[in-house]
Amino acid sequence: MHLKSFVGEYGLFPFFEQLSTTQCWSDAKLIIEKHLAGYPSLALQSQKRNEILSLAKSLPFWQAHLNDIETFEQIPLTYKSDYVTGFPEQNVLPHRKEEHQTLASGGTSERMTVVTDFAKRDRLRALENVNIALSHQTFWARKTLDIPPSACNVTCGLIDKGPEAIWPFLRWATLTRQWNHEDTMSNLRGRIERQWLMQRTTVSPITAGDWSHICKQIDPILALLAKSRTEILRGYPLFIYWIALRAAELNTVLPALSTVIPYGGLAAENMVNTIKQSLKVNFVNLYGTGEVGSIGASPVDQHAVSIYQDDIYVELLDDNERLIVEPGILGRVVVTDLNNKVMPIIRYAIGDTAQWQNLANGRQALLVQGRAVENIVTVHGNIMTARMLQNFVLSNPNVVNFVLVQNTVNQFTLKIVKRGEVSNSSFTALHEVLGGKSVQLNIIEEPFLTPKSSGKYLASEPLKNTPELHAEDVVEFVPLESTKCSLVEHFSLRDVRSPMGKKVCYLDNAATTPKPNVVVNEVARVLSKATGNVHRGAHFLSDAITEQFEQARADIARFIGATPANIVLLRNTTECLNLIAQQSCFANVITSAAEHHANFLPWKQKSVINLNDALHIDFFALEKEMQRAPHSLVTLAHISNVTGNLLDVDRVVELARKYHCKVLLDAAQSVPHMPIDVNKLSVDFLVFSGHKMGGPSGVGVLWGRTEALEQLSPVQWGGSMVEKVSSQQNILKPIPWRFEAGTPAMENVVGLAAAARFLMDIGMDNVQQHVDGLTQKLRRALKASYPALVLGDIDAPGPVSLNPTSMSAQFIANILSERDGICVRAGFHCAQPLHEQINSQGTLRISPWLMNTDEDIDKCIDAVRRVLASDAEAHKVIA
């Protein structure tokens, strides 16, 4: 036995079980014993189902449905939409508030909120440890490398880095005095179990790109696996598949690696065989959801899943909700969590399809077939599941990623990412299953695919101006070709002409950005087809827009690595800042002379830090002010909207923690241009506007740490932000809804989520690379010609501003607009204190973004040089 496992088994685990209210590790051992012995505990499962039925009848939400229901199987099915905001808070059983936790599951399609207690959460963690133990048929941990969804975000769409390590967590709990809260001990327990006793380490998030780019990030993981002699590898199935392909390319041998554990359930035979052969490992599949935790794990070396029958009751139902018990018949997966006694998730249809499979020992296991929405009904009435699709496509080992899109009833597009030659004949079997000569299958090569469309089937993506084919038509394969759709093509603004007939060259993105077509279409859809009001109303349209609104909140949260419960949706950055400025808890505010007026004017009691000669924050003066006024709020811009300089956030946060200050980051200029992870930044508040990142105007986002938001009080009162109003008292809704009085800009919030998804699909690393490349080309060229006029560092990532002396910035901007169709900004840019410090009467600001190209930058550089070279010539053009 490993020493750490021995210490955990006989020391820390019993100690933790005394401190919390659960014997989860002891229970986990029993589950392992039963699985190794092969005996399902059906009697205990039946007892728990009866308890759940009795408990459900006491909850108000279910009483109307369950009065006449006597058996468990008569309970109505529930879906994610049943658990949207409002349901859990109304149905928590009456225990102390601090014993509960509200968990938000921000999936790719919907948002679900689940209330649980800490004992339940500890049990879910124990089941994760069961997964590891069952993978090698022993109680004791082996060295494990965990590649969580947050790390392999290129395939799953998440961007957070997961929980921090043990020592930073201990430091946080001590500094914030959180040791009196049961949640803290539960969190510490989870970290010690996973990171120390279970010997699990994780990797950093992966960014999107082509196969060579992915390989550059996989190679260090292979090196780590070899050097650390890791025995267990966990991760998203497609990402493990990539690791296996790369290991085969490099002839990498990992003798210590014995088992891979993909999570997610879906891993078809071709993927499994490639992984096993390339890595020389056993394959142990896991299945579970964020809502109910682990559902089961396969025995050694197979991908069918055995269910944890003490904890989970799983049913397969047909379209008429009849129970399926025979193997090989496709059905919907319905899960009942038998241990959540706070708010039972009762007969929850999780959206997957599967079929039972008989195992050699006479027991049944679940063979997952993929999401129900990804099942394709072919023109001949047959069903092709996601598992079948994966098998067809990955039969060609040179395909590393794919997405199948159904454009019409009998027209499909298969987008593939390849690492070598791929022939059309590779997809003949897929073509035949889809309908053969009755359908058209277009095959297109992509440089890379985004998380939203990675390795799966999209339900619908209509082609423009494409007539629908008829079943009798005979259509052959379309030749393999490379798609060259540029970023420019996503923006209709590109087609606009100036009054003088010049094609627009839009370089005023720091003020507001063009809207990609997906955003325009989404706003139009809501305006035309989603009439109703959010968080109120009793009809289906109101329910639909509420669900879309809260899903938008989840997508916006995902964009900055946050959770939806910490996202407040207001009108703009200005309103977000004013909400905080009107709080009495911030007696003193420290800001700088470089701030936008929105981050300068609202603060009543403020200390203003001047900039140094390089137009950066004077950190000596900043620390001196924090020392003079500890517990202040420090509010600064991440990127200056004038100089373009980037703030050293880490240094600000380090000083703030030293003097017990909170940090508010104005990220209006940084969020559109670079990856943002609020957890990595470690600030307390972050604000930004939708219209500067391709979204509609009228939406501002305030993110705050939970403990920071809890200090705030509403400053606007009205509908939608209260649970109950009476003559005696007002009961506020939970955060964030208590800050969102009145009807919100529903279509604009949904539009902002579309912009966030658009940027995440491109990949924020790719966005940053594109924008930085244009900005640096512009800045370096102008700085070389006019070193005294260009503000900011040579490598500043933000807008490029010139401080002209011989003519006004407004005059230059007019020339560029009328003569060349170039749109730039001139004036003080709502930052007059900064212009006073540099003795400027206004600057000319040029700011590229996604719609711009190298040709735009060349055109602008040439136009500026011509204007500055000859005042007389410029006046002639104006005249």
Side-chain angles (χ1 to χ4, degrees), residues 598-609:
N599 197 24
F600 192 87
L601 295 176
W603 312 112
K604 301 175 182 66
Q605 290 290 117
K606 62 175 175 281
S607 304
V608 181
I609 305 300

Side-chain angles (χ1 to χ4, degrees), residues 133-375:
L134 287 178
S135 71
H136 45 77
Q137 304 288 283
T138 177
F139 291 128
W140 318 120
R142 295 186 183 179
K143 184 169 287 188
T144 302
L145 178 64
D146 191 12
I147 307 177
S150 54
C152 50
N153 61 29
V154 65
T155 61
C156 69
L158 300 179
I159 58 177
D160 65 283
K161 294 186 67 174
E164 72 271 43
I166 294 172
W167 293 116
F169 178 80
L170 287 172
R171 182 174 180 271
W172 167 83
T174 302
L175 291 177
T176 57
R177 301 176 182 177
Q178 294 291 317
W179 288 109
N180 61 339
H181 200 294
E182 186 180 0
D183 187 27
T184 303
M185 185 57 66
S186 180
N187 278 321
L188 176 61
R189 172 183 180 152
R191 284 166 174 78
I192 290 179
E193 286 179 357
R194 292 177 176 182
Q195 299 173 20
W196 188 39
L197 299 174
M198 301 307 295
Q199 303 186 67
R200 286 168 58 181
T201 55
T202 60
V203 298
S204 297
I206 308 300
T207 59
D210 59 15
W211 179 242
S212 62
H213 177 79
I214 295 296
C215 288
K216 290 177 183 177
Q217 300 172 91
I218 289 177
D219 290 352
I221 295 176
L222 285 172
L224 176 63
L225 288 169
K227 182 178 180 181
S228 64
R229 297 190 61 78
T230 295
E231 298 172 79
I232 310 293
L233 174 63
R234 296 181 75 235
Y236 187 75
L238 187 61
F239 195 80
I240 292 182
Y241 179 70
W242 292 349
I243 290 176
L245 291 178
R246 184 58 174 167
E249 285 181 354
L250 299 176
N251 293 319
T252 300
V253 178
L254 302 170
L257 189 66
S258 63
T259 306
V260 299
I261 310 179
Y263 40 74
L266 179 63
E269 288 77 2
N270 281 329
M271 174 184 284
V272 174
N273 292 336
T274 298
I275 291 172
K276 290 169 61 175
Q277 293 167 11
S278 299
L279 297 178
K280 304 295 188 294
V281 291
N282 289 328
F283 185 97
V284 176
N285 205 4
L286 299 184
Y287 185 46
T289 72
E291 294 81 31
V292 301
S294 298
I295 293 174
S298 64
V300 168
D301 207 19
Q302 68 175 58
H303 49 279
V305 174
S306 295
I307 308 303
Y308 298 146
Q309 300 200 46
D310 282 6
D311 292 83
I312 297 293
Y313 178 50
V314 174
E315 304 167 87
L316 284 187
L317 302 182
D318 63 17
D319 291 339
N320 296 314
E321 298 189 11
R322 292 175 301 201
L323 195 65
I324 297 173
V325 295
E326 300 85 0
I329 301 176
L330 190 67
R332 291 183 295 161
V333 180
V334 175
V335 176
T336 303
D337 181 349
L338 298 176
N339 284 289
N340 191 350
K341 301 301 172 59
V342 181
M343 187 206 74
I345 299 175
I346 302 170
R347 297 196 76 211
Y348 170 44
I350 62 177
D352 285 345
T353 57
Q355 54 187 257
W356 293 115
Q357 184 180 67
N358 289 333
L359 301 181
N361 59 8
R363 298 176 63 192
Q364 281 192 325
L366 201 67
L367 193 62
V368 180
Q369 301 293 317
R371 303 288 292 170
V373 295
E374 293 171 357
N375 289 341

Side-chain angles (χ1 to χ4, degrees), residues 344-460:
I345 299 175
I346 302 170
R347 297 196 76 211
Y348 170 44
I350 62 177
D352 285 345
T353 57
Q355 54 187 257
W356 293 115
Q357 184 180 67
N358 289 333
L359 301 181
N361 59 8
R363 298 176 63 192
Q364 281 192 325
L366 201 67
L367 193 62
V368 180
Q369 301 293 317
R371 303 288 292 170
V373 295
E374 293 171 357
N375 289 341
I376 302 170
V377 180
T378 69
V379 293
H380 301 308
N382 300 318
I383 294 179
M384 188 179 76
T385 66
R387 173 182 287 273
M388 295 169 63
L389 172 62
Q390 190 182 86
N391 261 332
F392 285 132
V393 178
L394 297 186
S395 62
N396 190 316
N398 281 336
V399 177
V400 297
N401 206 350
F402 66 91
V403 59
L404 181 68
V405 180
Q406 185 170 15
N407 309 119
T408 66
V409 173
N410 45 10
Q411 188 170 26
F412 296 84
T413 300
L414 178 66
K415 302 177 183 178
I416 63 170
V417 177
K418 64 178 189 176
R419 59 172 187 151
E421 290 302 315
V422 176
S423 65
N424 284 342
S425 61
S426 303
F427 308 110
T428 301
L430 172 61
H431 190 210
E432 286 300 318
V433 170
L434 289 174
K437 293 182 178 181
S438 299
V439 301
Q440 178 179 350
L441 177 62
N442 303 305
I443 306 170
I444 298 177
E445 177 194 342
E446 297 277 11
F448 63 92
L449 289 171
T450 56
K452 178 182 177 183
S453 59
S454 181
K456 61 172 66 176
Y457 157 73
L458 290 183
S460 177

Side-chain angles (χ1 to χ4, degrees), residues 443-550:
I443 306 170
I444 298 177
E445 177 194 342
E446 297 277 11
F448 63 92
L449 289 171
T450 56
K452 178 182 177 183
S453 59
S454 181
K456 61 172 66 176
Y457 157 73
L458 290 183
S460 177
E461 187 179 289
L463 292 177
K464 295 181 179 179
N465 303 319
T466 301
E468 184 171 331
L469 299 173
H470 298 288
E472 63 269 22
D473 292 338
V474 178
V475 184
E476 300 299 331
F477 278 112
V478 174
L480 189 70
E481 59 183 27
S482 177
T483 179
K484 297 182 179 179
C485 179
S486 67
L487 289 171
V488 172
E489 296 175 25
H490 291 283
F491 298 89
S492 296
L493 182 68
R494 192 68 183 182
D495 301 325
V496 172
R497 298 274 174 171
S498 74
M500 302 297 292
K502 299 292 185 180
K503 193 172 183 180
V504 68
C505 177
Y506 187 83
L507 289 165
D508 191 18
N509 294 281
T512 192
T513 54
K515 318 309 174 196
N517 296 329
V518 291
V519 172
V520 176
N521 294 339
E522 189 72 347
V523 172
R525 181 192 64 78
V526 175
L527 286 172
S528 61
K529 296 183 179 180
T531 299
N533 212 332
V534 298
H535 305 143
R536 64 197 85 180
H539 53 78
F540 66 94
L541 286 174
S542 178
D543 292 341
I545 189 60
T546 297
E547 184 175 344
Q548 294 168 38
F549 187 89
E550 290 303 328

